[in-house]
Amino acid sequence: MRILNTLFNIVAIAYALTIALVLTAIVTESAIFTSVRTEAQVLVLYKAFAGVGAGLLLVKVVFSSLYAANLRYENHIAQLKVNDLKVELYERRQEFRSNNFRTPISEERLEVAAV
């Protein structure tokens, strides 16, 4: 998902640069699109640019939402693993403590119990 989001960002930046060059008249429409010759064709080209831009914006919003949801899911899974490891560590500590704190039965207690 990360690669797809990055590729789409590159495409969106290239599109935005192309539009900026055309709108600032640094590059003419006929230089990029050889079939554009009349004012009506230029108007249709600008409408197509606007449509494609709207579509790219919509796809960008969807990709961003999916990418954010994927990151939240990965974070949730990592948090579950951390919690499992904490539980395992706690259980091992408790087991270690219960084995270490057992006091050996002294000889005096054994004699008292035998009498």
Side-chain angles (χ1 to χ4, degrees), residues 3-4 10 16 27 30 45 56 61 71 80-81 86-87 90 103-104 112:
I3 295 171
L4 190 59
I10 292 170
V27 177
S30 59
L45 178 66
L56 283 176
V61 168
L71 287 178
L80 289 177
K81 287 181 182 179
K86 284 181 181 179
V87 166
Y90 178 78
T103 56
V112 172

Side-chain angles (χ1 to χ4, degrees), residues 26-73:
I26 294 174
V27 177
T28 61
E29 298 88 5
S30 59
I32 297 174
F33 304 101
T34 56
S35 62
V36 176
R37 300 201 193 285
T38 65
E39 292 294 321
Q41 290 174 335
V42 170
L43 183 62
V44 169
L45 178 66
Y46 284 148
K47 286 180 182 179
F49 278 157
V52 170
L56 283 176
L57 181 63
L58 180 65
V59 171
K60 175 67 177 153
V61 168
V62 169
F63 273 150
S64 295
S65 297
L66 289 175
Y67 183 65
N70 188 29
L71 287 178
R72 283 193 302 270
Y73 175 75

Side-chain angles (χ1 to χ4, degrees), residues 6 14 16 28 46 54 60 63 68 79-80 83 87 94 98 109 115:
T6 304
T28 61
Y46 284 148
K60 175 67 177 153
F63 273 150
Q79 192 62 42
L80 289 177
N83 288 342
V87 166
Q94 289 298 92
S98 65
R109 284 181 146 179
V115 174

